[in-house]
Amino acid sequence: MEGLVDLVARHGVAIVFFNVLVEQVGLPVPAVPTLIVAGALAANGQLSTPAIFVASVIACYIGDGLWFAGGRIYGHRVMKLLCRISLSPDSCVRQSEYHFGRWGKAALVVSKFVPGLSAVTPPLAGAMRMSWPSFIVLNGAGILLWSAIPIGAGMLFNDQIGEIIALLERYGAMAGSLLVAALAAYIAFKWWERRRFYRALRLARITVEELRGLHERGKRPVVVDVRSAVARKADARSIPGALTIDPGEIEARLGELPRDREIVFYCSCPNEASAAQVAKQIVQLGYTRVRPLAGGLDAWFHSGVT
């Protein structure tokens, strides 16, 4: 079979390096299977264990370092970019913010073992102005573990992996086609989930101009910032006079949201995802005068409103 196994056996270190790098920059090409196969081949003497381990570590450092630098330079704009291109919009960044809020810098160590967070955590750390030395040490600990575990598993179970390899080779091109089809099906499923996610957020928005009009007519709308504490730290901008309520606290703080006034939620994510989710949540609780702010925090500041 001309596929992953043959490529790793023939080109070894280069394939490991490239596969790990493209995964770390955000492409949906999992590297763990490659590392497991490489570990099995290393156990059989076909590859050098130190070479594939070092190649994996260096590739991780390059990919993560680029994202971290982007976060430090461009801040929240990098996070918005990630949320736009992610197959799991908004939730990817939300989970990273949650783990940062709960575990602090140590989240870098475990992020590679949590699906969807590997490409998000480094730029978030950069946006939060983590120092380079801290990032190198903590992220490096996660990289070492993430690289060592699948390689070690491949070496430990090399006999069983060899049987799988033999089975794949027996079915040749058919097995390769099935693997490609499985990857394509996964990407298609995540794309469908993305479309369904945004369809679920269909809700009338309020523009910055309309919000300003409410203020000018003395309607006293209640403006609510629903970004997480981590997101607010990464981007210190805010709309003057806005309440800050984490989405998880909404029901506990309903007393601060009067039913007889307009309530406007805003966030800094694409398509106002978090704001729309919270707005739909309290509509289900009986509120009627609720809308997310179209364009979110960026729209407010781009309009020149003070």
Side-chain angles (χ1 to χ4, degrees):
M1 172 186 146
E2 184 66 25
L4 174 64
V5 175
D6 290 325
L7 286 173
V8 174
R10 185 178 302 117
H11 302 289
V13 176
I15 289 295
V16 168
F17 177 85
F18 180 76
N19 194 173
V20 171
L21 180 60
V22 296
E23 183 188 34
Q24 296 310 307
V25 298
L27 297 180
V29 185
V32 168
T34 305
L35 292 173
I36 292 174
V37 172
L41 294 175
N44 294 327
Q46 295 174 266
L47 289 175
S48 166
T49 303
I52 59 175
F53 178 73
V54 170
S56 176
V57 169
I58 292 175
C60 281
Y61 261 122
I62 292 174
D64 290 351
L66 290 173
W67 280 119
F68 179 76
R72 284 185 62 87
I73 296 170
Y74 299 107
H76 68 283
R77 286 175 288 178
V78 170
M79 305 308 298
K80 289 195 69 173
L81 171 63
L82 273 172
C83 210
R84 287 187 186 282
I85 65 178
S86 170
L87 292 174
S88 301
D90 188 62
S91 61
C92 60
V93 177
R94 274 282 172 190
Q95 287 182 55
S96 287
E97 292 172 352
Y98 168 78
H99 287 299
F100 252 101
R102 184 176 181 182
W103 297 326
K105 295 178 180 180
L108 279 167
V109 179
V110 300
S111 65
K112 291 198 177 303
F113 300 94
V114 182
L117 299 188
S118 180
V120 179
T121 308
L124 180 59
M128 294 180 65
R129 314 307 298 172
M130 180 182 288
S131 69
W132 273 103
S134 293
F135 172 75
I136 290 171
V137 171
L138 292 171
N139 193 60
I143 288 174
L144 293 176
L145 287 172
W146 181 83
S147 297
I149 290 174
I151 293 174
M155 297 180 71
L156 182 62
F157 299 104
N158 69 91
D159 290 338
Q160 292 84 349
I161 292 169
E163 293 175 3
I164 296 173
I165 290 173
L167 182 63
L168 292 174
E169 289 176 340
R170 187 180 311 153
Y171 288 97
M174 184 192 305
S177 299
L178 288 175
L179 290 174
V180 172
L183 178 60
Y186 170 77
I187 294 174
F189 173 71
K190 297 301 288 185
W191 177 83
W192 174 78
E193 276 195 329
R194 179 187 178 93
R195 292 293 297 262
R196 185 180 66 171
F197 174 80
Y198 283 129
R199 283 198 301 268
L201 297 183
R202 287 177 181 169
L203 190 70
R205 266 64 166 165
I206 184 172
T207 66
V208 171
E209 292 72 22
E210 290 172 329
L211 178 58
R212 180 171 54 190
L214 290 176
H215 281 290
E216 291 174 348
R217 296 195 300 274
K219 298 295 184 179
R220 298 185 302 127
V222 177
V223 180
V224 185
D225 183 342
V226 293
R227 296 175 297 162
S228 68
V230 172
R232 292 194 295 272
K233 184 177 179 180
D235 181 3
R237 300 177 304 165
S238 64
I239 295 178
L243 295 175
T244 57
I245 303 179
D246 188 275
E249 302 175 340
I250 285 295
E251 293 195 30
R253 297 179 62 180
L254 285 178
E256 300 175 52
L257 304 176
R259 294 176 182 267
D260 60 345
R261 289 162 61 183
E262 294 283 348
I263 303 174
V264 178
F265 294 104
Y266 76 87
C267 60
S268 56
C269 46
N271 297 287
E272 305 82 55
S274 294
Q277 284 181 307
V278 172
K280 295 197 77 167
Q281 179 184 347
I282 73 164
V283 164
Q284 294 171 353
L285 294 174
Y287 285 75
T288 57
R289 303 172 67 178
V290 179
R291 285 183 286 176
L293 179 64
L297 187 61
D298 286 340
W300 175 268
F301 281 94
H302 290 161
S303 72
V305 178
T306 57

